[in-house]
Amino acid sequence: MENTDKVRVAAHRGNSCCCPENTLAAFESALKLPIDNLELDLHMTRDGEIILMHDHKVDRTTDGTGLIRDHSLAEIKKLDAGAWKDPRFAGTRVPTFIEFLEMMKSYPDMTFNVELKDYPRDGAEWAHESADKAIALMERYGISDRSTVNTFSA
């Protein structure tokens, strides 16, 4: 039965006010708060790996440049995704969706808002492959029934 007596609280990109967004540090921090839901953003790398990042480019939240889809996972993993937020987060890496899902195994009641960021306007085949891979991972890790999937593109 759904609880209608409280407002459900979501951590947008993890605890992004205090930690670099969409990183494991941000989600670990958020999980210490009284939250009901984690919101995260997914993109696919050039070599078909699903990672967490909001923007289409790595420029704003890492020390790299360019579109995510133009980088391999190995290239993405070399980027610093924390120093832009605060020097104490220097060396923080962009997580894969699998790394996030592995961490979530310890939180069987957590719910998720998963935003698919690869849009058909940038290549329908690419967007569909990215969505299919993300959803397959959600099913493999058993979070589909606790998740809402959204996107800003039909």
Side-chain angles (χ1 to χ4, degrees), residues 12-13 21-23 39-43 51-58 60-61 68 94 115-119 152:
H12 189 245
R13 302 179 203 164
E21 64 184 58
N22 275 317
T23 63
E39 187 273 344
L40 58 140
D41 305 287
L42 301 180
H43 278 281
I51 64 162
L52 278 63
M53 190 171 291
H54 178 270
D55 300 358
H56 298 289
K57 293 182 175 185
V58 299
R60 181 176 64 84
T61 58
I68 294 166
V94 174
E115 187 169 332
L116 304 177
K117 302 296 283 192
D118 290 319
Y119 303 147
F152 282 99

Side-chain angles (χ1 to χ4, degrees), residues 1-143:
M1 185 163 112
E2 184 175 85
N3 180 353
T4 58
D5 295 334
K6 71 174 191 170
V7 173
R8 296 184 54 78
V9 177
H12 189 245
R13 302 179 203 164
N15 188 4
S16 57
C17 73
C18 301
C19 302
E21 64 184 58
N22 275 317
T23 63
L24 296 184
F27 292 109
E28 288 169 357
S29 178
L31 289 165
K32 295 174 185 170
L33 303 172
I35 62 163
D36 304 294
N37 183 277
L38 292 173
E39 187 273 344
L40 58 140
D41 305 287
L42 301 180
H43 278 281
M44 187 168 66
T45 63
R46 181 180 70 221
D47 51 350
E49 298 295 327
I50 305 298
I51 64 162
L52 278 63
M53 190 171 291
H54 178 270
D55 300 358
H56 298 289
K57 293 182 175 185
V58 299
D59 302 50
R60 181 176 64 84
T61 58
T62 76
D63 58 348
T65 60
L67 292 169
I68 294 166
R69 67 186 297 161
D70 291 339
H71 293 281
S72 68
L73 179 60
E75 292 166 341
I76 295 284
K77 282 297 192 179
K78 291 178 184 174
L79 301 177
D80 185 319
W84 69 273
K85 183 72 171 180
D86 188 290
R88 67 191 163 116
F89 293 111
T92 299
R93 300 296 171 217
V94 174
T96 64
F97 193 28
I98 290 174
E99 290 168 333
F100 172 83
L101 291 167
E102 285 290 328
M103 185 173 83
M104 290 300 106
K105 283 181 175 181
S106 300
Y107 301 90
D109 296 324
M110 184 55 60
T111 62
F112 307 95
N113 180 351
V114 180
E115 187 169 332
L116 304 177
K117 302 296 283 192
D118 290 319
Y119 303 147
R121 72 166 187 250
D122 299 322
E125 188 174 317
W126 181 268
H128 290 272
E129 180 182 352
S130 179
D132 288 346
K133 286 183 175 195
I135 292 167
L137 287 169
M138 292 170 65
E139 290 173 354
R140 184 167 111 198
Y141 280 85
I143 70 161

